Amino acid sequence: MASRGGFNSRIGFIAAAACSAVGLGNIWKFPFEVGNGGGAAFVVIYLAFAFLLCFPVMVTEIAIGRKTQKNPVGAFTALGHKNWRFIGILGVLAGIFILSFYNVVAGWAFGYFVEMIRGNFAIGAHFSDFITNIIKVGGYGIVFMAATAMIVSKGISGGIEKASKILMPTLIIMMLGLVAYSFTLPNAGKGIQFYLLPDFSKITLPVMYRALGQAFFSLSLGMGALITYGSYVSKRENIITSAVYITLADVGIAFLAGLMMFPFVFSQGIPPTGGPGLIFVTLPGIFGSLGSTLGVIIGSAFFLLLSFAALTSTVSLLEVPVSYVVDEIKIKRKVAVWLVAGLVFILGIPSMLANGYSDFFTHFITYIGAEKATDFMTFISHVANETFLPLGGALIVFFAAYIWKKENLNKEIEEGFPGFKGTIIERYIDFAISYLAPLVLFSIFILTVLDRFFGVHVF
Ligand code: PHE
């Protein structure tokens, strides 16, 4: 283990894995998914999926990683099932695809930090100008990818662990403050009602589909990010309690983000269905309303922290392909990091152009049977988040339950949790990974492929 490095402490691993989970998915994506999904009903379904379905997948990924101490591809070989290493390859590809567009949005967040420092609170109204300013978007994208690469090249305890331990608490405190402020605004009550009072008639199949996708993405599952992080964890670690903390932190921060956003959105009279622009359009005006000094301080701090939250996620996204290249192709870590980062950045260029700058990438693809074209960024997120992740997740749990075998998984979990055998948690996890998770996730994969790529709209 010494040669690969590892986490120095228990809290270090939990913090790092939680920081992988907490990112743009929670603060940028979750509120607009809730907004589009009809509000509180979405939140209820999301929570149910996070604990009932995603949690067992998380435990499985961490256990596979710790058992094998390998990257997601090597892990399958190490367990004696070389034929299943394609699952890891899928994960490496998913990581590369997700990072390519995630880095673009992370660059926007960082760009907003700079705008807030300049006191440019009007930027919210000019969001679409901002994202079509290719010099800015490209520049921030380079800065962001380089920062990610620098942390990853420093290795596990030096880079990832240190950064995570400081950033997470700061983010939580900052958000609590913003939640408190949002409650004082006019119409805050309406926002909270929208967010917290479920209208159960809104629970439809499409809402369930989106809620599960959101939970899965937000918890960084299905691509081996947690196999990779698990591979640096010591045998003394209790995987179950670690996974509980990681899930609680992730869900908790998404929940806080919603609690902050909806009063803001309703106080400004903006429709909650604003989509990916929601936080970028809504928040600057709110910060401006705090007055110029306070607005600059709070606004820039917020977007800086959002950038940091994104950074700890981009780090885990990059770590997956890098650990693969380092372990399997045996290239030096530093070289591997910059090589992969460069490649992913280039792959991200179409996503940068896809928000209005280039007509070709903005109206990139018309799915068979779809009414309208989809921009490249949405397209690649369909491929990665909605196709590769559920497929990867289904395969990982299927593999653990039937190929590697449940008993071996349970034995691995018992290390660090001696009383695990016979508990209700053990029985539930066995059930979830044998039936519930593979079935649901595989169905999601099929539905996506039919709907997105073949124009067969099941719902
Ligand atoms: N979970 C991260 C977020 O919510 C994104 C991510 C997905 C990171 C998959 C790693 C792997 O922002």
Side-chain angles (χ1 to χ4, degrees):
M1 186 136 149
S3 62
R4 296 182 79 234
F7 290 107
N8 282 335
S9 62
R10 159 129 207 262
I11 189 74
F13 163 64
I14 294 175
C19 280
S20 159
V22 173
L24 295 171
N26 308 57
I27 301 165
W28 163 68
K29 197 163 177 285
F30 179 72
F32 81 70
E33 291 284 357
V34 174
N36 285 332
F42 182 97
V43 181
V44 173
I45 302 292
Y46 161 83
L47 289 174
F49 276 140
F51 287 100
L52 296 179
L53 199 142
C54 298
F55 175 77
V57 180
M58 177 182 288
V59 168
T60 308
E61 282 203 27
I62 299 175
I64 292 179
R66 190 180 66 177
K67 170 79 195 170
T68 58
Q69 316 231 320
K70 283 271 162 15
N71 67 85
V73 181
F76 293 92
T77 314
L79 291 175
H81 300 282
K82 208 167 174 211
N83 291 340
W84 290 81
R85 55 206 288 282
F86 74 93
I87 304 178
I89 308 253
L90 272 179
V92 169
L93 288 176
I96 290 175
F97 290 159
I98 295 177
L99 183 55
S100 80
F101 71 85
Y102 197 98
N103 185 62
V104 178
V105 182
W108 298 350
F110 188 66
Y112 262 55
F113 158 65
V114 176
E115 298 297 332
M116 289 299 108
I117 289 192
R118 297 172 47 204
N120 179 10
F121 302 115
I123 182 87
H126 299 112
F127 174 60
S128 50
D129 297 332
F130 177 82
I131 58 177
T132 45
N133 184 332
I134 207 60
I135 305 284
K136 281 193 178 170
V137 171
Y140 291 130
I142 291 181
V143 170
F144 215 91
M145 190 62 86
T148 307
M150 250 138 70
I151 296 188
V152 175
S153 71
K154 281 212 177 1
I156 289 299
S157 62
I160 297 175
E161 180 171 349
K162 260 203 200 116
S164 305
K165 275 201 288 206
I166 312 168
L167 297 176
M168 181 67 71
T170 323
L171 181 69
I172 296 178
I173 293 168
M174 176 97 203
M175 283 182 58
L176 282 172
L178 285 171
V179 169
Y181 176 62
S182 79
F183 281 10
T184 66
L185 296 173
N187 284 330
K190 282 203 186 119
I192 295 169
Q193 207 172 344
F194 174 80
Y195 184 51
L196 294 182
L197 268 190
D199 167 359
F200 286 103
S201 69
K202 292 218 172 109
I203 300 185
T204 56
L205 272 178
V207 166
M208 293 174 76
Y209 171 88
R210 302 232 41 101
L212 178 56
Q214 172 60 26
F216 218 64
F217 178 80
S218 184
L219 289 162
S220 302
L221 297 174
M223 53 163 271
L226 292 174
I227 296 183
T228 311
Y229 274 26
S231 76
Y232 301 110
V233 168
S234 104
K235 292 278 182 202
R236 281 167 314 190
E237 218 62 75
N238 181 330
I239 295 179
I240 300 287
T241 48
S242 302
V244 170
Y245 286 131
I246 297 164
T247 307
L248 282 177
D250 186 60
V251 166
I253 290 193
F255 187 76
L256 273 185
L259 215 48
M260 158 191 103
M261 277 308 290
F262 289 104
F264 283 164
V265 167
F266 278 73
S267 75
Q268 294 197 338
I270 295 174
T273 48
L278 198 61
I279 70 165
F280 293 106
V281 173
T282 319
L283 288 180
I286 297 284
F287 296 134
S289 72
L290 294 170
S292 53
T293 316
L294 199 59
V296 167
I297 296 173
I298 306 272
S300 55
F302 177 82
F303 281 107
L304 186 64
L305 280 170
L306 180 62
S307 306
F308 279 134
L311 187 62
T312 50
S313 298
T314 52
V315 158
S316 72
L317 286 161
L318 185 61
E319 177 65 27
V320 170
V322 165
S323 69
Y324 167 64
V325 173
V326 171
D327 288 356
E328 307 291 312
I329 311 181
K330 311 234 171 344
I331 301 183
K332 273 209 189 102
R333 188 169 180 94
K334 275 224 158 65
V335 181
V337 166
W338 290 99
L339 215 70
V340 179
L343 185 99
V344 177
F345 179 79
I346 293 168
L347 194 69
I349 292 175
S351 290
M352 293 180 184
L353 305 175
N355 297 288
Y357 185 83
S358 136
D359 211 47
F360 176 72
F361 287 117
T362 306
H363 306 283
F364 177 66
I365 197 171
T366 306
Y367 291 118
I368 310 157
E371 300 77 46
K372 49 180 196 286
T374 300
D375 65 90
F376 184 86
M377 198 158 154
T378 308
F379 165 74
I380 195 155
S381 77
H382 287 164
V383 173
N385 306 5
E386 294 177 10
T387 312
F388 278 49
L389 294 189
L391 177 62
L395 288 168
I396 289 171
V397 285
F398 179 86
F399 171 84
Y402 300 105
I403 310 295
W404 183 34
K405 299 265 186 300
K406 280 180 283 196
E407 302 74 57
N408 291 317
L409 171 70
N410 291 338
K411 231 185 267 154
E412 181 59 31
I413 299 174
E414 267 171 53
E415 302 237 15
F417 185 179
F420 180 61
K421 212 177 171 64
T423 56
I424 181 151
I425 314 170
E426 183 194 35
R427 266 177 287 158
Y428 183 73
I429 289 180
D430 283 354
F431 159 75
I433 66 162
S434 311
Y435 308 105
L436 182 72
L439 269 176
V440 173
L441 292 169
F442 199 69
S443 312
I444 294 267
F445 162 69
I446 298 285
L447 284 176
T448 303
V449 172
L450 287 177
D451 189 86
R452 304 285 189 213
F453 306 116
F454 289 97
V456 180
H457 307 300
V458 180
F459 49 69

